[in-house]
Amino acid sequence: MTTETPSTEERLSRLEGAYEQVSERLGDLRSDMNERLNELARGQEALREDMNSFRNNMLLLIGGVWATVVGGLIAIFTQL
């Protein structure tokens, strides 16, 4: 029982095949990462829009409360 040692050409051929697989896998990984980063950017933009909407609603609420208080004070002081 003797095992033959693969020739240099066979070994190089195997290495080339392995290299091509690594290259394909890296390409898949790169595209997957790009998709995830784009998804994260879309999520951040949606969060930013929600925060801006919340801020605008709070400003409207505070403005309404302020106007009510000032209007009430003016009504009180004009009747004195």
Side-chain angles (χ1 to χ4, degrees):
M1 281 195 180
T2 61
T3 58
E4 289 186 30
T5 304
S7 69
T8 304
E9 289 178 10
E10 290 174 334
R11 293 187 327 197
L12 281 175
S13 176
R14 273 193 233 141
L15 285 173
E16 287 174 350
Y19 176 76
E20 287 175 7
Q21 287 180 354
V22 168
S23 179
E24 289 175 13
R25 289 179 182 172
L26 285 175
D28 291 345
L29 180 62
R30 180 179 294 130
S31 66
D32 186 43
M33 289 299 295
N34 284 337
E35 287 177 26
R36 290 174 188 257
L37 288 173
N38 289 336
E39 183 180 332
L40 181 62
R42 286 190 300 270
Q44 286 176 337
E45 185 60 34
L47 179 60
R48 188 173 289 119
E49 289 174 9
D50 287 347
M51 290 174 67
N52 285 337
S53 175
F54 179 75
R55 184 196 68 217
N56 291 341
N57 288 338
M58 290 306 296
L59 289 174
L60 286 172
L61 179 65
I62 290 169
V65 169
W66 184 82
T68 302
V69 170
V70 169
L73 290 174
I74 290 173
I76 290 171
F77 286 121
T78 56
Q79 291 186 2
L80 292 178

